[in-house]
Amino acid sequence: MFTATQFCEKCQQETVHSEVLVRKPSRYDTQFTWTGRILLFIREFINGGHYYNMDRYVKCKVCDHKQLDNKGDEFE
């Protein structure tokens, strides 16, 4: 598990943070029909979306403040 010290905006000091990965929502997520579910499965399978389309958050272990921390370019 990733843990590192980082400045927390809520605590206003250097605290220990952990990393949390959350899948980005897809336009197929709101389709609850069986065809929408199949399209989501096919899209995720072909694109490797469960690993590829992720948002990286860092979460303070003191106050549980979660902050989006995507770094770098896509396809890097």
Side-chain angles (χ1 to χ4, degrees):
M1 181 197 291
F2 167 83
T3 56
T5 58
Q6 189 170 339
F7 184 78
C8 178
E9 294 174 354
K10 191 172 181 183
C11 296
Q12 296 295 315
Q13 61 184 354
E14 290 278 329
T15 57
V16 178
H17 283 69
S18 62
E19 181 179 52
V20 179
L21 295 175
V22 177
R23 185 176 69 87
K24 292 180 183 178
S26 168
R27 66 182 169 137
Y28 299 112
D29 285 342
T30 57
Q31 296 180 4
F32 295 111
T33 62
W34 65 274
T35 54
R37 296 282 104 191
I38 291 172
L39 288 173
L40 176 63
F41 175 76
I42 291 171
R43 180 186 172 277
E44 295 295 317
F45 182 76
I46 291 173
N47 294 334
H50 55 286
Y51 295 112
Y52 175 69
N53 292 327
M54 301 291 266
D55 277 328
R56 178 181 179 263
Y57 289 90
V58 288
K59 184 176 179 183
C60 177
K61 291 197 171 202
V62 176
C63 68
D64 287 336
H65 176 70
K66 191 165 79 170
Q67 177 180 345
L68 182 64
D69 192 36
N70 288 338
K71 293 185 179 172
D73 293 328
E74 200 171 24
F75 306 114
E76 188 173 14

